[in-house]
Amino acid sequence: MLIDGYAALTAKAALQPHHYPPAELAGHDVLIKISHCGICHSDIHLIDNDWHVSSYPLVPGHEIIGEVVAVGTQVTGLRTGIRVGVGWQAGSCGSCAQCRGGHEQLCAQNMATCVGRPGGFATYVIAQDKFAVPIPATLASDVAAPLLCAGITVFSPLARYQVGPGVRVGVVGIGGLGHLAVQFAHQMGAHVTAFSTTANKQDEAHRLGADHFVLTRAADAMAHAAGSCDLILTTASVDVDWEAFVKVLAPLGTLCVLGAAPHPVAVGAFGLIGGNKSISGSAIGDPATIARMLEVAANHGVAPQIERFAMRDVNTALTKVRANAVRYRAVLAN
Ligand code: NAP
Ligand code: ZN
């Protein structure tokens, strides 16, 4: 059998059809027949080699939904026919303190789904059983796909910071991650402010659950928002005005960095000291939290707003993502 995928052959290149045999299944691996795969901005960072970890041919894709079609000899929790999702992480060592403590995403040997191995812009993918999470029956596969990376990446810090009624959450960048952050924070009862560079996202941001919308480049808009958020999640794939967002934090507030901004997060010491403010980061989420996030989405109507593309139209979809023109997640279908 050959897998039909789409690969970048060099950095920044358009993807081309690429065919390769599946790797041999290790004991805990499962082979998944892919029905859908979302396009995360991390796929674009990888195609462009922004993080200097890419090797080519590179088959991107890590918001995968599909059906288990083969299992390794040590797999007990999954069987063929089960619908599962795989996100950024396809494996971990399973024995370090982080893995044993339920923080598998922090394992030093964590295996990314599409770094150094072919990902989800393809007909099949392989992942360790623990990282292939069953999908609740009520979630449609195309809508579920973006939850596997965008969804968990925003849900995990919202849960960790115990967001609930009375907490004022800011979301910077209303894209794949951001539009789900607005929905999950709203569902948790928070007061939500969307910070965007795109004026025509305002109405949709309110419909998704934002109480306020701040057009960040409007004169005085950021100054008016000073002190208005307890927790800010930054999801922009570009540098933002970090100093200005530290000022948007209320005393004791936290700015949690999710987007892979290319340059250092530079802020003056006194902006943090003055209000006992913190800057933190957060990486995806562990498999148990992914399962919990999927249940919340299924039971409380949190749903990615998607634009559908055929897998063969992957380059058309990528061009639209690069132009910040997708509302709000492109999903490829086989
Ligand atoms: P996306 O769908 O492309 O959304 C990014 C948003 O950034 C845009 O919608 C836009 O929102 C905002 N933005 C501001 N200035 C921009 C500019 N000049 N060009 C493009 N966008 C601009 O991306 P995503 O999939 O949500 O991913 C966002 C970032 O998170 C990426 O850097 C990705 O690698 C990273 N990420 C991190 C993790 C993690 O574990 N921490 C997981 C997944 C992704 P407005 O129009 O509202 O301004
Ligand atoms: Zn991602």
Side-chain angles (χ1 to χ4, degrees), residues 39-43 45 51 62-63 88 149-150 153 172-178 195-198 201 213 216 234-240 257-261 282-285 321-324 326-329:
I39 301 181
C40 175
H41 211 103
S42 299
D43 294 313
H45 292 301
W51 302 335
H62 60 273
E63 290 185 343
W88 175 260
C149 181
T153 300
V172 182
I174 307 305
L177 269 62
F195 293 89
S196 177
T197 62
T198 308
K201 291 181 179 176
F213 181 90
T216 49
T234 70
T235 77
S237 53
V238 296
D239 296 316
V240 301
V257 179
L258 306 180
S282 190
I284 49 168
V321 177
R322 287 181 186 276
N324 190 20
V326 170
R327 301 291 185 269
Y328 285 91
R329 195 53 127 195

Side-chain angles (χ1 to χ4, degrees), residues 158 161-170 185-186 188-193 211 228-232:
L158 291 171
Y161 288 107
Q162 300 180 316
V163 165
V167 179
R168 297 164 298 172
V169 174
H186 173 72
M188 292 170 180
H191 184 93
V192 183
T193 302
D211 299 284
S228 66
C229 292
D230 304 302
L231 173 67
I232 297 175

